[in-house]
Amino acid sequence: MSPEADGSLAATRLRFGYGTNGLADLRLDDALSLLSDLGYDGVGLTLDHMHLDPLALDLSARVRRVADRLDTLGLGVTVETGARYVLDPRRKHGPSLLDPDPDARARRVDLLIRAVRIAADLGAHAVHCFSGITPDGTDRDTAWKRLAEALTPVLDAAAAAEVPLAVEPEPGHLLATLADFHHLRRTLGDHEHLGLTLDIGHCQCLEPLPPEDCVRAAAPWLRHVQIEDMRRGVHEHLPFGEGEIDFPPVLAALAATGYQGLTVVELPRHSHAGPQQAELSLPFLRNAAARAAAPEGSTP
C-alpha cells in the first residue's frame, strides 16, 4: 500500500545531504568526513576547482578516489554544476547554455556531459543544472530554442549513462519557475531522462503555490531536491529559521511522494561558517521531519 493510500509517511525516510558549495573553504576529503561524522546521508557535490575539478587533466583518477571515499563513508551523492567561475574566471556562471556564441554554449554543454559521466562513475542519483540568464538582446523564443538544442546532447549522454538530468528553476533565469520547466519538458518531448531539481526556498521566493504544494505538483518529475530557508520575493538562501518557510508540511509532502533521492542543504554563501551550518542544519531537518511524521496532536 502506498503512503498516500494509508496516510502514513513511514514508507519513505527522507535522506539529507549538504552541498559542498557551502563548504568551499574545506578540502573535499575534510568536507566528506565532516558530513559523515555529523550523520548526513549524502552530499551535493558541486564540480569546481577547489573540490572535484571537472577540467583536471587527471580527472579519471580523481573521480575514482572520490568514489572510493564516498563508498567508505557510506555517503550518497548528487552531482551539481552551479559553480560560479569554473569555465570563465571573469563571468559568473558563464558561458551559459544561452550564450549567443555557439562555441561558448558548447563549452557549457561539454561541462554537463562531463558531469553526467562523473555522476555515473560516482553512482550519483542525478546531475543538476540550470538554464542561465537570458543574454541582453536575445528574445525569449531564441533563448528557449538555444536551451532545447543545447540540452539535447546532454540528455543523450544522460540516457547512455542512465543518470537523470535534473534541471533547476532558478529565479532570474530563463527557466525560473515550475511552469517554465514544463515548457522545456514539452519542447523536448517528455524525454525520459529529463527531470527536475526543486529548490524549496525558490518555491517560497516566487512560485504562486506554497512550497508543500509545489512539492506535490512536482512529484512525477522530481529527481533532486535542494533546501534552505527563504523569504517571499527575496532570492537569498538563508539558514533554517531565518526565513518564512514552515518546514514540517514541506517534508511531509516530500515523504508522501516516495522521493528516494537526496534532499541537500543549499547555503552557498555561508562557507565562512560551513561546518557550523552543517552541524545545525541536520538536527533542524530531522526534527521537522519527525514533526511531519507524528500523528496529529502528538509530540514527536
Side-chain angles (χ1 to χ4, degrees), residues 242-286:
E242 295 186 15
E244 301 170 341
I245 299 175
D246 183 13
F247 284 95
V250 174
L251 297 181
L254 186 58
T257 69
Y259 172 68
Q260 298 293 311
L262 291 171
T263 299
V264 172
V265 178
E266 182 82 354
L267 291 173
R269 296 186 179 180
H270 289 76
S271 281
H272 64 282
Q276 291 76 25
Q277 289 298 334
E279 185 173 3
L280 292 170
S281 295
L282 186 57
F284 179 95
L285 289 170
R286 284 178 170 169

Side-chain angles (χ1 to χ4, degrees), residues 161-271:
E162 297 186 348
V163 177
L165 185 69
V167 180
E168 178 188 8
E170 180 79 20
H173 285 209
L174 173 70
L175 198 158
T177 65
L178 288 173
D180 293 333
F181 168 76
H182 289 303
H183 176 77
L184 176 67
R185 179 178 60 81
R186 290 188 293 270
T187 300
L188 290 170
D190 274 326
H191 195 289
E192 180 182 2
H193 284 79
L194 177 65
L196 173 71
T197 292
L198 188 69
D199 187 301
I200 301 303
H202 295 172
C203 297
Q204 177 69 22
C205 178
L206 84 170
E207 292 286 351
L209 296 173
E212 58 269 28
D213 289 342
C214 289
V215 169
R216 285 185 277 267
W221 302 277
L222 204 55
R223 300 296 179 267
H224 182 44
V225 176
Q226 297 172 344
I227 194 165
E228 70 285 315
D229 218 338
M230 203 168 287
R231 301 186 183 98
R232 185 70 179 168
V234 182
H235 184 204
E236 181 182 4
H237 291 234
L238 299 172
F240 298 113
E242 295 186 15
E244 301 170 341
I245 299 175
D246 183 13
F247 284 95
V250 174
L251 297 181
L254 186 58
T257 69
Y259 172 68
Q260 298 293 311
L262 291 171
T263 299
V264 172
V265 178
E266 182 82 354
L267 291 173
R269 296 186 179 180
H270 289 76
S271 281

